[in-house]
Amino acid sequence: MKRFAGYIFDLDGTVYLGDDPLPGAVETIGELMRQGSRCVFLSNKPIEPVQRYSEKLRKMGIPVNDNAVINSSVVMARYLSHRQPGAKVYLVGEQPLADELTRAGLIITNNPDEAEYVVISWDRGFNYQKLNDAMQAVFKGAHMVATHPDRACPVPGGLVPDAAGMIAAIEAVTGKQCEEVVGKPSRWTVTAALEQLGLAPREVLMVGDRLETDIKMGQTAGISTALVLTGITRPEDLATATIQPDYVLTGLADLLKGD
């Protein structure tokens, strides 16, 4: 298939599943890099530091530096720093996201009365207290934003609930919708990826396993798209989907077909 100057790869369900690389992923990405293509890796997953994802890829044999991986925590930190430097944030999320926001100069508060933003993310400790605090903060005027819209995350053996559950709960009790969701498929994430690659959209291929995030983001930005059938999306889903990729791959090794 056509070779691109740059590739944006999703991670979970595209490059690996759990701690194991998917078949052909390491060899394919390594070959693309050897041929001079630039690669950046995106994840909506905010429950680990971005450096952990880089380390994971390196252990698998994919030679990346920390700047080559962007997750929704990094994008959220950039978004809030741009909108309101030093803002006070009530966080529905886990410690790695809190650390990323703090490094960006934002202030995490447990007091809903003083929060200027409620940031909603995947939170495996989500409970009634957090739901109530988030609701009170929004009622007192805090902006409501979220890291990413994913309903479920693929793991070995199936799926687990993702950030959409927390978002839906807080939207339901407040009667309001998030003002911004900064992870894929938002412009904030694709802009960060293109800046890292240093390439124009027409020179890049977006590769991912989700139609509603990976493929939609690429299409909205004018980037060619490839859906890989190793994660969330099944072949039968394409028959009725309104979002259609430019390419459909059984695995990442298909990127080298025709060599």
Side-chain angles (χ1 to χ4, degrees):
M1 63 179 289
K2 177 183 175 181
R3 191 58 41 84
F4 291 82
Y7 292 82
I8 302 173
F9 289 101
D10 171 56
L11 288 174
D12 285 289
T14 299
V15 176
Y16 54 67
L17 193 61
D19 292 324
D20 299 316
L22 286 159
V26 173
E27 297 80 3
T28 298
I29 295 169
E31 181 59 26
L32 291 172
M33 288 179 169
R34 281 190 289 274
Q35 293 182 13
S37 293
R38 303 174 192 175
C39 297
V40 68
F41 302 85
L42 296 183
S43 177
N44 272 348
K45 200 171 180 181
I47 59 173
E48 291 187 32
V50 69
Q51 294 82 5
R52 191 79 53 82
Y53 297 108
S54 305
E55 293 168 3
K56 185 173 184 176
L57 291 172
R58 287 192 290 269
K59 287 179 180 178
M60 290 177 180
I62 300 173
V64 298
N65 57 42
D66 288 347
N67 291 333
V69 180
I70 300 168
N71 73 348
S72 60
S73 297
V74 171
V75 180
M76 178 58 78
R78 293 179 184 179
Y79 168 80
L80 289 176
S81 296
H82 173 79
R83 287 288 301 273
Q84 189 171 336
K88 292 182 179 180
V89 172
Y90 182 84
L91 177 62
V92 176
E94 300 191 13
Q95 193 60 45
L97 174 54
D99 293 341
E100 194 69 49
L101 297 178
T102 300
R103 279 193 292 271
L106 300 154
I107 300 168
I108 306 298
T109 178
N110 290 322
N111 183 355
D113 293 339
E114 65 179 18
E116 296 165 289
Y117 281 85
V118 172
V119 173
I120 311 169
S121 189
W122 185 3
D123 188 341
R124 291 169 293 182
F126 188 60
N127 56 28
Y128 187 83
Q129 184 64 56
K130 291 182 180 181
L131 178 63
N132 182 52
D133 285 349
M135 181 179 74
Q136 301 306 328
V138 171
F139 284 168
K140 289 177 173 64
H143 299 282
M144 186 166 62
V145 296
T147 54
H148 63 295
D150 298 13
R151 293 187 296 272
C153 180
V155 297
L159 301 171
V160 295
D162 209 321
M166 288 92 240
I167 295 169
I170 295 168
E171 287 184 336
V173 298
T174 60
K176 297 185 178 183
Q177 291 188 324
C178 282
E179 298 173 25
E180 194 80 59
V181 181
V182 302
K184 296 180 293 182
S186 83
R187 63 187 177 91
W188 296 94
T189 293
V190 74
T191 297
L194 290 172
E195 287 177 352
Q196 180 61 35
L197 288 171
L199 296 170
R202 66 180 181 278
E203 300 175 279
V204 175
L205 181 68
M206 174 72 218
V207 186
D209 69 313
R210 295 176 187 257
L211 292 168
E212 72 278 10
T213 54
D214 302 315
I215 305 307
K216 181 179 179 180
M217 184 184 73
Q219 291 180 347
T220 301
I223 296 171
S224 296
T225 58
L227 176 75
V228 62
L229 298 173
T230 50
I232 289 287
T233 306
R234 307 265 67 86
E236 55 269 25
D237 298 332
L238 288 168
T240 57
T242 57
I243 301 170
Q244 294 290 326
D246 296 301
Y247 305 95
V248 178
L249 316 176
T250 58
L252 289 189
D254 288 355
L255 292 172
L256 299 178
K257 282 188 174 179
D259 281 10

